[in-house]
Amino acid sequence: MDKHAYLIAIEAVIAKGKFKDNWQSLSEYEVPAWYKRAKFGIFIHWGVYSVPAFKNEWYPRNMYIQGSDEYKHHIETYGQHKDFGYKDFIPMFKAERFDAAEWAELFLQSGAKYVMPVAEHHDGFQMYKSEVSSFNAYEMGPQRDVLGELKEAFEKRRMTFCVSSHRAEHWFFLSHGKEFESDVKEPLVCGDFYWPSMPEPDHQDLYGSPPTREYLEDWLIRCCELVDAYRPSIFYFDWWIQTEAFKPYLKKFAAYYYNKAMEWGLEVAINYKHEAFHFGTAVPDVERGQFAELKPYFWQTDTAVAKNSWSYTSGNDYKTSVEIIRDLVDIVSKNGSLLLNIGPKADGSIPEEDKQILLEIGDWLKVNGEAIYGTSYWRTFGEGPTLVEEGQFTDGKTKAFTKEDIRFTVKGSCLYAIVLAYPKDGIVKIKSLRKKSHDFQGIIEEISLLGFDEQPIWERTEEALIVKTSTVQSAAPVVIRLTLD
């Protein structure tokens, strides 16, 4: 690739397009309506790190940290790092059981509306055909354009194709391999798998080791190449792009992506964390966490079926489908969308645990999807005693929702009250819908429960709207549909 020519082409697109590389111009961006309607997507962490399948997807970094569990495991299992380094996993990443159509069918059955494979993780191995580096899945490992096959399979089933880039952190990700005798050795030049392996910044001082112009331009080109080759409808960025050095390049990328999308007639979005983008120019994302309250702006959370890892490992600690469904409901009620990650094995098969969770979520959505898809938030997101901890990395503990924890969504003439833990006695009290409530003064025409034949008995008192059933039992959330006059 002629990188200089590509950079000139990027500038030309920005110069002639509606969006310029400044926050004022990018503030004209609007979140696509399809994204706000979709509510549920699938994230996929799959790459060379799926071969060792130990601890988590940060194995390539941690295996070079002397004394770590990964370091010890690596020596015991594969030998000394100078003889067998991370690059030596690439030939073992064969993906012999990978079937894009099979994956797509599973995700379709899960009820997901958009799907986001990781295009490049921190390790620097590209899961697509690239002209930037030969260290990609088309030329090495599977020797297949994984991203291209997935795009075709998803779009054939009318699921929206998206991508993520975690490339920024590659600046330092393999740097610990330089601290002892390993296969991470100088000279390293642009295009090498281990390049640049610079000293890792203190996580409390993220600006201490700014990337060079060469690295930042390479990063921009990789991102724009993904846009041009695969036309994703969402481009997700992981952390570390919020550091100061990336700011000019983030603005250039956003302007390029938004302008190209307009040219192609696509409605697109960018996901970001940690205030990397100016508010209103892209969609904020909360990693492994939620907001405690309703937000007036659209947002997304990304989390995984496993609590301990984004990628497949032999010891994954799985959530239950009911936990995830409850989180989905809570997130949607607060004007958010859930991006749920699964981790395929190195051979391309999806673990049975991941499959089961997705299918159970899909079964619930087949019955209750009308209270999720295409809905909007109500005056209040919900009620109940259980407090949802706000912020990232808060999803490690199971939330103990009660029969009093109820979430609301609205669509058309219907208001949905979703009971997160349906009471065994069948008596639900919805305080927000009581007589003379400030939140609700509408006229209820009919009340029914999605997925159940029983017609509930109900009355409005000054304490609550009381809904009674005698046969309804469910471990998963139950949707009460109120049809309003």
Side-chain angles (χ1 to χ4, degrees), residues 21-34:
D21 53 339
N22 61 70
W23 295 132
Q24 182 175 350
S25 176
L26 295 170
S27 292
E28 296 182 29
Y29 165 79
E30 295 183 5
V31 180
W34 73 260

Side-chain angles (χ1 to χ4, degrees), residues 43 45 55-57 287-289 302-321 323-324 327 339-344 351 353-355 357-358 361 393 395-397:
F43 209 2
H45 275 66
K55 286 287 211 178
N56 55 48
E57 72 288 345
E287 181 175 358
R288 284 193 178 276
D302 61 305
T303 190
V305 294
K307 297 178 181 179
N308 60 300
S309 176
W310 292 93
S311 67
Y312 167 75
T313 75
S314 57
N316 270 357
D317 179 14
Y318 286 96
K319 301 174 185 177
T320 68
S321 60
E323 286 180 73
I324 295 168
D327 281 341
L339 180 63
L340 179 66
N341 179 77
I342 59 108
E353 296 91 340
D354 298 55
K355 285 183 183 179
I357 289 170
L358 292 186
I361 294 171
F393 301 109
D395 71 342
K397 296 180 181 178

